[in-house]
Amino acid sequence: MTKAGPALRLDGQGRPLWLVCELTYGCPLKCPWCSNPLDLDAYQNELSTEEWKRVMRESRTLGSLQLGFTGGEPLMRRDLEDLVAEADRLGYYTNLITSTVGMSAKRLSRLKAAGLKQIQVSLQSHDAATTNALVGASVHDHKIAMIREIKAQGFPVVLNIPVVRQNIAHTGAYLEMALDLGVDYVEFANVQYYNWALVNRDELMPSLEELKASEEAINSFRQRIGKKMVIYFVIPDYFNGRPKACMNGWGSIIMTIAPDGVALPCQEARLLKGLNFPSVREHSVEWIWKESPAFRTYRGDAWMKEPCRSCSEREKDFGGCRCQAYLLTGDGANPDPACSKSPFHHLVEEAIVEAHRPQRNSRPLVMREVGVASSTQ
């Protein structure tokens, strides 16, 4: 099966090449694999328009080239067009990561005029009933209409499907729909088990047999259509025996700014207790990237424990995911349990067995909603 990790190692030469702007944690959908924090109600003080513009200027000065507007749902910000225009003026390649809820043909035209370059749309299935059930809202038809409108207005489109047990059998039908829509790229994004997805892991995790069948369907489709559409599929690290090369290394090329201004090496990092992540309201982006203890904690390999420290693959996978190590072992410096060399690998193996244990009683998905997840802990 396809191995995890990037085919090409990117070297930012000490620069945050990719700036990820999480404009808001607000979202009209209730996806049970959402990467946003479980305590959503704790983050209400969003950066203002001018604060976001300052962040973009400072990051661009540091060498950032690509900017992703995400959330939550970034379309919930009324100033999105203004922010896109400023990013374009600064010379960023801009990407909007959206569910399309809140989008219209007119607003799309405004975003295009502002300089938006690319749009990534999440779509959970070819089937309306499945999509609507998984996101907790009747939005499938709107998503399809907006994808057609996005293409009609000349944007490159990445169609993202979060792969879970509930939709993995739809792989072939989903690809046929994507081809009909004329999208440029399809990403089968196997859900990573953090935050809301971790709460729902037993219900969401596909089996290895289902993953193999999905990959076979993708390979067959690729052979049939040739270069009409680019399809990405990577087996999740729980089944790979090797950890994902998380973020191309901690604090290496990516900086995420959360809605409240907290700067993070990745979107999940604020779940790491004990690290004091700085805010752009209190520090410059340059200081945060170059000097802050949080960004330097897992940078490079001096922090690694054995067997990572002496592993010949440490420069390929960077020791794996610090957030996953913390969530599953309680220590972010421990070897990622997804790796078969890790002394904690049994935790991943046990999770796979439990998710597919025949006698296990299934339970309803815990949907993303303020105040819900904390009551399940």
Side-chain angles (χ1 to χ4, degrees):
M1 298 183 72
T2 308
K3 298 299 183 182
L8 175 65
R9 176 175 177 177
L10 298 176
D11 185 356
Q13 298 180 337
R15 297 172 297 164
L17 296 182
W18 294 346
L19 177 64
V20 179
C21 295
E22 292 186 299
L23 299 182
T24 179
Y25 286 147
C27 185
L29 304 185
K30 302 179 180 180
C31 305
W33 52 78
C34 183
S35 63
N36 289 169
L38 297 175
D39 53 341
L40 288 168
D41 53 340
Y43 309 101
Q44 302 296 322
N45 189 19
E46 294 179 0
L47 294 181
S48 68
T49 305
E50 292 308 312
E51 285 175 318
W52 276 118
K53 288 182 178 181
R54 176 176 60 80
V55 167
M56 290 189 289
R57 289 195 300 270
E58 292 183 11
S59 188
R60 186 74 180 94
T61 298
L62 275 179
S64 297
L65 301 174
Q66 182 160 324
L67 190 156
F69 291 107
T70 183
E73 176 48 67
L75 288 166
M76 293 187 71
R77 290 279 303 220
R78 295 182 179 180
D79 58 356
L80 178 59
E81 290 88 336
D82 193 8
L83 295 176
V84 169
E86 176 67 4
D88 187 64
R89 184 188 71 80
L90 290 168
Y92 284 101
Y93 183 88
T94 49
N95 182 28
L96 177 65
I97 303 165
T98 178
S99 68
T100 75
V101 178
M103 182 180 286
S104 65
K106 288 183 178 180
R107 191 165 195 197
L108 192 58
S109 295
R110 294 198 301 269
L111 288 167
K112 188 176 182 64
L116 184 65
K117 298 298 189 292
Q118 180 175 292
I119 300 178
Q120 177 176 316
V121 177
S122 62
L123 183 64
Q124 291 67 34
S125 176
H126 73 295
D127 173 71
T130 302
T131 296
N132 296 340
L134 283 173
V135 303
S138 183
V139 295
H140 181 87
D141 291 344
H142 174 78
K143 284 173 174 276
I144 297 298
M146 285 299 99
I147 293 167
R148 294 192 186 280
E149 183 63 30
I150 291 166
K151 285 299 299 179
Q153 295 201 26
F155 287 98
V157 178
V158 179
L159 198 57
N160 175 285
I161 179 169
V163 179
V164 291
R165 182 182 301 168
Q166 290 79 359
N167 65 11
I168 194 168
H170 301 176
T171 298
Y174 185 92
L175 287 170
E176 295 292 348
M177 178 199 64
L179 186 63
D180 176 67
L181 290 170
V183 302
D184 304 276
Y185 306 92
V186 174
E187 179 185 4
F188 283 84
N190 283 283
V191 164
Q192 304 292 324
Y193 298 106
Y194 311 101
N195 290 332
W196 296 85
L198 186 60
V199 170
N200 290 297
R201 183 175 63 182
D202 287 351
E203 307 306 321
L204 295 176
M205 187 188 296
S207 67
L208 180 59
E209 291 72 24
E210 288 172 319
L211 288 164
K212 287 181 177 178
S214 179
E215 186 178 36
E216 288 175 3
I218 290 169
N219 288 337
S220 176
F221 189 82
R222 281 175 175 151
Q223 291 178 359
R224 178 164 65 84
I225 70 164
K227 298 181 179 180
K228 291 181 180 179
M229 188 167 65
V230 178
I231 307 168
Y232 299 102
F233 177 92
V234 177
I235 186 173
D237 57 359
Y238 268 42
F239 293 93
N240 190 26
R242 288 293 180 272
K244 54 184 172 292
C246 194
M247 311 308 291
N248 209 70
W250 177 279
S252 175
I253 63 170
I254 298 174
M255 175 182 279
T256 294
I257 309 299
D260 58 353
V262 171
L264 305 164
C266 78
Q267 289 170 272
E268 306 296 344
R270 72 189 314 160
L271 60 79
L272 286 160
K273 307 304 180 186
L275 287 184
N276 183 25
F277 291 105
S279 171
V280 296
R281 284 179 165 141
E282 300 169 358
H283 302 280
S284 70
V285 172
E286 181 176 16
W287 181 88
I288 291 170
W289 182 256
K290 293 182 178 180
E291 304 296 336
S292 68
F295 270 74
R296 298 173 71 170
T297 297
Y298 299 121
R299 196 175 260 159
D301 58 14
W303 57 270
M304 291 182 181
K305 299 181 180 181
E306 293 293 352
C308 297
R309 182 181 292 272
S310 58
C311 182
S312 61
E313 298 179 56
R314 69 183 184 277
E315 294 185 359
K316 296 179 181 178
D317 58 33
F318 315 106
C321 179
R322 298 305 89 220
C323 299
Q324 189 158 268
Y326 174 81
L327 284 172
L328 299 185
T329 75
D331 184 349
N334 278 335
D336 187 339
C339 183
S340 62
K341 298 180 181 181
S342 170
F344 304 99
H345 187 58
H346 66 280
L347 298 174
V348 165
E349 294 178 312
E350 290 166 3
I352 294 171
V353 170
E354 175 60 22
H356 303 100
R357 181 168 53 86
Q359 297 80 15
R360 186 183 67 82
N361 292 323
S362 61
R363 58 181 177 81
L365 292 169
V366 178
M367 306 299 282
R368 175 200 192 274
E369 198 168 0
V370 171
V372 171
S374 57
S375 67
T376 70
Q377 304 304 297

